[in-house]
Amino acid sequence: MSHDITEAVDWRGNAVDCEACPHRDLKERGLCRPGHACVNDRYARRIDRFFNWNPALADSYLKHEHFEVRAIAAKHATVFLLPPLLDDPDEAVRWNAARRLPVRLIMKLRHDPHREVRIRVVTLLEDRDLVAMMDDPDYYVRLVICRKIDRNLLLKMVHDEETEVRRVVAARLPQQWLTRMADDDEAVVRLEVARRLPPDALHLMKNDPDWRVRYEVASRVDVAEVAGLSDDEDSLVREIVLARLTDESARVTDISR
């Protein structure tokens, strides 16, 4: 282990001085340990361990100069003291306060300047509160939303500017709205649509410019429509068409006997 990890220094880079610490009595009782569990240490893991051992002390550290101390103290402090931390200059502090507060108090964090806070806030909000975040400037925030929100609210996101967002929308959108995405600019989105459309609607995509989409169409479209792909430019598409037509011919022959 390197000296960087084993040394006991505070957030300013000074050596931790147990004699000057107001909690030196805790050391004698085994409730703190230099280099392992210490509120004055610059390493978050050691600060976290200190408050795990001494949660009752967290309230008095919510205004500490070091953001790591405030953020970790917020995990243990009395919940009624946390609302002011929603305006803390550090995103880790704001998030640790938000995760313990009722939804009505954290709504303003939907517009937090830091994307990580907004991403995490999404996990705490209900559908009606997420609708206002569908236009978030960060694509990953929108991606998390479209994975979580009720599928019946996804229609607003079918034209999202980010391909991966639209792909997830296509994977979750109620089937009756899927044809709205059948002409998406990106093949990966259209392929997701083709995989979910019912066979009787797949003919709408049989002229798709991407062979993977046409292959999906040829594999599942109603057999009455599949012949239209027998001259497809891609050999795999032609093969699946031929296989299906052969199977259908054999089935008809068996029925007529």
Side-chain angles (χ1 to χ4, degrees):
M1 187 178 292
S2 69
H3 178 69
D4 233 11
I5 300 299
T6 58
E7 65 182 354
V9 295
D10 65 19
W11 64 283
R12 292 190 175 96
N14 301 316
V16 171
D17 183 1
C18 292
E19 292 305 311
C21 179
H23 306 304
R24 55 185 176 274
D25 61 308
L26 296 179
K27 179 181 176 184
E28 298 172 4
R29 291 187 283 150
L31 294 176
C32 68
R33 190 189 313 163
H36 184 73
C38 178
V39 73
N40 296 311
D41 203 293
R42 71 179 177 186
Y43 292 107
R45 189 171 297 176
R46 297 171 184 176
I47 300 170
D48 193 42
R49 197 174 286 123
F50 175 86
F51 284 120
N52 281 332
W53 292 4
N54 305 280
L57 294 175
D59 288 358
S60 60
Y61 280 94
L62 295 178
K63 296 182 180 180
H64 194 274
E65 293 178 274
H66 185 30
F67 80 93
E68 290 277 23
V69 173
R70 299 196 306 276
I72 297 170
K75 295 162 58 177
H76 301 274
T78 303
V79 71
F80 300 109
L81 299 177
L82 297 181
L85 296 186
L86 296 178
D87 295 312
D88 193 276
D90 187 86
E91 66 272 11
V93 180
R94 297 195 299 274
W95 163 241
N96 277 337
R99 67 197 300 189
R100 297 185 58 209
L101 288 168
V103 168
R104 62 183 176 81
L105 294 181
I106 67 171
M107 292 289 283
K108 66 180 182 179
L109 294 186
R110 292 183 300 177
H111 307 292
D112 192 274
H114 200 283
R115 71 189 291 265
E116 290 299 327
V117 174
R118 301 198 306 277
I119 289 169
R120 290 173 173 178
V121 165
V122 167
T123 67
L124 302 177
L125 298 181
E126 298 300 323
D127 292 337
R128 65 181 182 276
D129 300 321
L130 292 176
V131 172
M133 297 182 72
M134 285 180 167
D135 295 322
D136 192 277
D138 190 278
Y139 93 92
Y140 197 77
V141 175
R142 303 195 305 275
L143 185 61
V144 176
I145 290 171
C146 73
R147 286 172 175 166
K148 179 187 178 184
I149 202 166
D150 186 284
R151 62 182 62 232
N152 290 301
L153 296 174
L154 283 173
L155 196 56
K156 184 180 176 182
M157 302 185 80
V158 299
H159 297 300
D160 191 276
E161 63 184 31
E162 177 62 37
T163 300
E164 181 59 15
V165 172
R166 298 198 308 278
R167 189 195 66 78
V168 174
V169 171
R172 299 193 63 231
L173 194 69
Q175 200 175 61
Q176 67 266 27
W177 295 331
L178 270 177
T179 54
R180 298 189 182 205
M181 303 187 77
D183 60 351
D184 191 274
D185 291 339
E186 298 294 333
V188 292
V189 178
R190 300 195 306 274
L191 181 58
E192 202 71 56
V193 172
R195 286 170 175 163
R196 295 190 56 226
L197 278 177
D200 61 0
L202 278 170
H203 67 278
L204 297 171
M205 303 186 75
K206 67 181 182 181
N207 295 319
D208 193 275
D210 191 278
W211 74 268
R212 294 169 299 174
V213 177
R214 298 196 306 277
Y215 184 88
E216 182 68 25
V217 172
S219 300
R220 296 196 303 108
V221 72
D222 286 347
V223 72
E225 298 281 348
V226 78
L229 288 162
S230 59
D231 295 324
D232 193 273
E233 64 184 40
D234 188 90
S235 61
L236 290 177
V237 177
R238 295 195 303 272
E239 286 175 15
I240 190 64
V241 170
L242 178 60
R244 290 195 65 198
L245 290 175
T246 301
D247 288 346
E248 177 63 12
S249 178
R251 186 185 70 82
V252 171
T253 299
D254 286 344
I255 291 174
S256 63
R257 284 177 179 171

